[in-house]
Amino acid sequence: MTSEPLKPSTHKAQRDKVYASLQDAVAPFEFNDAVAQVFDDMILRSVPGYTLSIDLITLIAERYGQPNTKLFDLGCSSGVATRALSEAAPESAEIIGIDNSPAMIAQCRQSLSDLIARNRVSLQCQDLTEAPLAGASVIVLNYTLQFLPLIDRDRLLAEIFEALTPGGVVFLAEKVVHEDTFCQSELEAMHLAFKKRQGYSALEIAQKRAALESVLIPETEQKHLDRLAAAGFSHAATLLRAINFIALVGWKQAA
Ligand code: GEK
């Protein structure tokens, strides 16, 4: 199995070796300098369907990005999805990437230097739960909500709904758990097999898994659909499933 190429970026990520050597005690996962340097390689080899989620974000920006509004990429990491938004949104729209990791934002500034130089994109290093989002036609959380404390998720989605212009959308990609324990254990095994085929060793897979244990909290697909409905989204649908990763869209009806 080979990885598909990422969207054009001005930097080339190094190969991810963060968990290649045996660690005495595996610390909780952090988006630090070591991760930032290899991030594009790490996410591409760890998340089945990642490239398709970026293609979907391009389609979403093209179809739902409204002139003179804002398009937000919350948890923008190295800016792959931010670039996708900038390529497809109307020229009069503002594209804003937000991430609370200084290391990721530094990497993102480098990756998107061409877009930042021509004022197409701006970046903010801050907690996304504190960012004003009003006037947005598109809000993207591409594999980001899963890193927020469970207690903050309902309020965030309700705030996103309020912030969106009529006809606006939220795009949400997440790792999910299956309600059926047999399916869950098979999907988990298939995800591990995917990572192995991407060149990760058993040690790397085990240590990364331990690091993410209390940091990445997945929910079920139904929980995401219920939360979108409770937040006010009149319609929501799953656009993508790749093993145990999904992408959803929630529509805020035009007035
Ligand atoms: C992509 N969307 O390549 N506030 C701001 N940022 C946060 C917060 C928070 N509270 N919590 C986590 N992050 C990207 C991939 S990665 C997903 C997103 C992954 C940031 C965190 O610093 C990291 O950069 C990102 O969310 C999650 O399309 O690594 O699996």
Side-chain angles (χ1 to χ4, degrees):
M1 190 185 293
T2 52
S3 326
E4 295 167 81
L6 276 175
K7 296 279 157 186
S9 164
T10 53
H11 90 290
K12 223 173 162 17
Q14 299 160 26
R15 185 129 173 119
D16 170 22
K17 292 272 171 213
V18 173
Y19 292 100
S21 332
L22 182 63
Q23 301 178 6
D24 291 342
V26 180
F29 187 82
E30 274 181 50
F31 291 94
N32 55 23
D33 284 331
V35 168
Q37 275 170 29
V38 300
F39 183 78
D40 288 356
D41 179 70
M42 175 185 273
I43 195 156
L44 196 58
R45 291 201 291 132
S46 306
V47 176
Y50 178 73
T51 306
L52 184 53
S53 76
I54 299 297
D55 288 342
L56 290 172
I57 289 166
T58 307
L59 292 178
I60 291 277
E62 200 170 68
R63 186 166 172 82
Y64 301 106
Q66 298 169 26
N68 304 307
T69 62
K70 296 175 181 170
L71 285 82
F72 285 98
D73 183 12
L74 303 182
C76 60
S77 298
S78 64
V80 178
T82 324
R83 180 176 291 279
L85 290 175
S86 78
E87 282 168 359
E91 267 310 310
S92 63
E94 244 184 89
I95 318 294
I96 301 152
I98 298 180
D99 204 291
N100 67 350
S101 154
M104 289 310 319
I105 284 286
Q107 186 62 65
C108 195
R109 276 194 201 292
Q110 212 178 308
S111 299
L112 303 185
S113 56
D114 54 326
L115 299 173
I116 294 167
R118 64 176 179 92
N119 291 325
R120 179 60 174 148
V121 162
S122 63
L123 299 179
Q124 295 167 15
C125 188
Q126 74 172 135
D127 193 309
L128 66 88
T129 59
E130 286 162 14
L133 302 173
S137 56
V138 173
I139 298 180
V140 167
L141 290 138
N142 204 33
Y143 310 103
T144 299
L145 189 68
Q146 58 193 11
F147 288 103
L148 261 63
L150 285 170
I151 196 163
D152 293 340
R153 297 182 189 182
D154 290 356
R155 187 171 47 89
L156 175 65
L157 265 295
E159 282 172 11
I160 285 176
F161 181 80
E162 284 309 315
L164 283 168
T165 54
V169 296
V170 64
F171 176 89
L172 193 61
E174 290 278 293
K175 184 176 190 186
V176 286
V177 285
H178 207 287
E179 285 99 342
D180 180 279
T181 52
F182 175 83
C183 292
Q184 171 55 21
S185 119
E186 286 306 306
L187 294 183
E188 188 66 27
M190 288 185 70
H191 182 215
L192 295 189
F194 170 87
K195 295 222 256 184
K196 238 178 170 169
R197 299 278 302 181
Q198 294 292 327
Y200 283 117
S201 68
L203 177 67
E204 284 177 294
I205 294 170
Q207 293 192 139
K208 171 94 180 283
R209 197 181 185 181
L212 282 172
E213 189 77 51
S214 57
V215 178
L216 189 169
I217 315 287
E219 297 174 287
T220 63
E221 179 176 1
Q222 192 57 50
K223 176 72 203 178
H224 289 296
L225 290 167
D226 291 347
R227 179 178 291 120
L228 286 170
F233 289 92
S234 51
H235 301 278
T238 303
L239 301 180
L240 150 73
R241 175 180 270 277
I243 312 181
N244 48 353
F245 290 81
I246 63 167
L248 305 158
V249 63
W251 286 273
K252 177 167 177 171
Q253 260 178 345

